[in-house]
Every structure is written in structure tokens, then in C-alpha cells.
Amino acid sequence: QVQLVEPGGGSVQAGGSLRLSCAASGRIFSNYGLGWFRQAPGKEREFVALIRWISRTTNYADSVKGRFTISRDDAKNTVYLQMNSLKPEDTAVYYCALARGVIGAPVRAAAYDNWGQGTQVTVSS
């Protein structure tokens, strides 16, 4: 399985920006997808964004469309989540995850096969 290393997030005021990174070891195959999920205290893990490795096509949760951008760097085997116009509601632990055999746009955590360790993002009002 591909191994994922997820550096730390951070704390910002509402309206600020952060960029999360997730470095993947091992070969990324054409049908793999890299996604971001988040989990706030007392809530279930929810889908944030997905990028298909080869095509770079993306999907976003409605709550982050227009504010977050997922991208990948093939040379670095790294996926990024650029988060702009952050809101207190975005406060959560953020996880990168890899899905094998992506068909359509998987948004369930159970569809993903490998996970980073998670990083805290805190947005204050």
C-alpha cells in the first residue's frame, strides 16, 4: 500500500488561509485517487475533496466549494489542500487518504484504503 505522511496544520483567524500537504510513497497508479477528509469533535468523518491522480479531475464537498482547492505534484508525489476564506466551522482534524480503483466520486470514508495520521486545523472567530 502507498504510505502517506501528513505534516501539521495550524491555527488561523476566520478569513485566513492554510495549506495542507500529504506526501505519498510508492507508485501512484492511474485509477488511484487522493482525498481529504475532516472530523470535528463529536462528529463523523466527512469528505472534503478528491483528486484523481492521473487525470487531475476533482470533486469537492458543497461546504468548501469556491474556498478550498485540491491539487497534486507528480514530481513530489504530494497532494495539497489549499484552504482560503476559512470559517470556524472548518475547525477539525484533517486527514489525507488514498482510494484504489476509483469509480465515480467516492465520498465515503470506507472507500479509502490508506490514511495519513491527521492534522489539526483550528479557525477562530
Side-chain angles (χ1 to χ4, degrees):
Q1 292 183 328
V2 173
Q3 296 179 335
L4 305 175
V5 178
E6 185 179 346
S11 298
V12 297
Q13 293 184 349
S17 298
L18 287 172
R19 189 184 75 165
L20 304 182
S21 301
C22 179
S25 63
R27 184 171 180 175
I28 307 298
F29 292 94
S30 62
N31 62 344
Y32 282 14
L34 270 295
W36 289 95
F37 285 74
R38 65 187 182 186
Q39 187 167 21
K43 296 185 177 181
E44 294 184 350
R45 191 167 298 185
E46 66 174 342
F47 171 79
V48 176
L50 167 70
I51 185 166
R52 297 167 185 82
W53 194 254
I54 297 300
S55 69
R56 294 182 176 177
T57 56
T58 58
N59 294 91
Y60 296 93
D62 288 341
S63 59
V64 306
K65 285 181 179 178
R67 300 189 298 120
F68 290 11
T69 302
I70 187 170
S71 62
R72 62 91 161 172
D73 186 324
D74 184 60
K76 297 181 179 179
N77 257 24
T78 298
V79 62
Y80 303 96
L81 185 68
Q82 178 66 45
M83 305 183 293
N84 299 325
S85 301
L86 283 162
K87 305 175 181 179
E89 305 94 275
D90 297 316
T91 296
V93 176
Y94 283 71
Y95 300 87
C96 64
L98 179 145
R100 298 191 299 270
V102 170
I103 300 174
V107 299
R108 296 180 300 109
Y112 290 76
D113 303 290
N114 201 9
W115 295 81
Q117 78 278 6
T119 186
Q120 178 70 46
V121 171
T122 301
V123 184
S124 62
S125 59

